[in-house]
Amino acid sequence: HEQIQQDAVAQPASESRMSKERLYLFDTTLRDGAQTTGVDFSIDDKRRIATLLDGLGLDYIEGGYPGANDTDTAFFSSKPAFKRARFTAFGMVKRAGRSVSNDPGLQALLASSADSICLVAKAWDYHVRVALGITNEENLAAVAESIAAVVATGREAMLDCEHFFDGYKANPAYALAVARTALEAGARWAVLCDTNGGTLPHEVVRIVGEVTNELPGNRLGIHTHDDTGNAVANTLAAVRQGVRQIQGTLNGLGERCGNANMTTLIPTLLLKSDFAERFETGVTPEALRTLTHASRVLDDLLNEAPRRQAPYVGEAAFATKAGIHASAILKDPGTYEHVTPEAVGNQRRLLVSKQAGRSNVMASLERLGLATDKDDPRIQTLLDEVKARESAGYAYEAAEASFELLARRHLTRVPQYFSVDSFRVMVERRHNAVGELVTVSEATVKVFVNGETDALWSAAEGNGPVNALDGALRKDLGRYQKHIDSIELVDYKVRILTGGTEAVTRVLVETLDHATGERWLTVGVSPNIIDASFEALLDSINYKLLKSGAAAA
């Protein structure tokens, strides 16, 4: 109730100043996105993605279902240090026939560190009868008691009305009753869910229009799936009909065909006049310019190739081949581009002229604290090398540590701490002393520390060739060893960029510094997977030495 009152007081003042209504963005990537085929977030993945989402300026970040699995339970054991987002837990209303105190699932939610709790309940009477095996009245009672229990803890409560649109088509009065019951029990939001993704835009217009005649739109949300390719369109239609909370996922992750795509919704809301003139969100123009970066970082964490034709953030979103369009864009970009690529952190790509990239390099330098005059000739040199490397297969969207090393070598100086004279990796499959068949990897590295004449030889075993190589490289770096003792390779992703016998391999390595908690990613590219891995490992160690202020000889 307190949250509702705060919004009721704050929003009119904002509207009087801005003449705009507030839209609230609710991200479900860490739960709905985890249901994507092939996606399995670790707790470290969740923490990094959550920080990424908070930086975009979202209002709610749903972290998962505490109590449902070890990862989500651990994630909710302590509250992330968000700058603005409300940390939100998801779970079911209590079971019919049980008290609130005797329902383990609901109690796990109430015991979590979440700021807000989003419960889910059936809004289709068919499911209430067949799936739950209870009466409609028992379902409404479970909704009311569960929402009240959340409100009693002083936290914001909301209800996802599961299969709301199917339920409304079958029994409008009951679907409305589920949403109304939640609001009357104190929920800040009742969210209308198109759970199977089968509703079409014209149906959303009609149904949401009828619902907002019965319930206040500034307490309603929309949650759509993309099974007909209409999740974004359905969401925008619902906003136009009055709902004020929007749920979706970064890059449209989600079960089956995915959820409403936040990377499409956010720039549409901010840059398209039909919405930008009427509404405001918590996403600033500055944060919007990091959208493409955020999208591609998520792809890299999932070891997925970014979708080239993705609206706004895809590599081809602002690409034009040779011909009349390319020459027209050079004279007047607004003629053929519906928004400026820089507004979303993307870049124009004129595939014949190769003209693109300076603004992105400048933005990256500023983000790394390396702001430089745009007319500095070293910027062009750096840009040329970045473009050449990207043509060879490098990608610096996630591997900011590698990009920073490259940039500093052009703009300032990166000391040569050590050089690797040679390395060797062996993989042997054999029977061990107890007769078990095992595969053993062993690596040897010969290193010269700058300023010293004697070589350092190190050898290590690992559970794979890259693990062994990493162990050998970090085993003895002489006077620099104290700077790297606390670091560990914690993730390793490989992507084959081209096929055939001369395939190019890109390797992304993530390193953790246990002393500081800092993580960074580095990249290597080579036709040889071990070479690519070794390049990424070298960048990782050099980055750590640079950040530690290690002195070169």
Side-chain angles (χ1 to χ4, degrees), residues 122-175:
K122 303 291 187 184
W124 189 357
D125 60 348
Y126 173 76
H127 281 176
V128 173
R129 183 176 67 256
V130 175
L132 298 182
I134 61 176
T135 67
N136 289 351
E137 291 72 24
E138 287 175 316
N139 187 51
L140 294 178
V143 169
E145 292 174 36
S146 301
I147 291 292
V150 174
V151 173
T153 68
R155 284 178 286 191
E156 184 178 18
M158 60 192 85
L159 184 77
D160 272 6
C161 302
E162 189 179 36
H163 285 280
F164 180 87
F165 290 92
D166 293 303
Y168 190 91
K169 294 172 191 176
N171 187 340
Y174 187 72

Side-chain angles (χ1 to χ4, degrees), residues 20 60 197 248 311 325 357 361:
K20 293 183 179 182
Y60 299 90
H325 285 189
V361 169

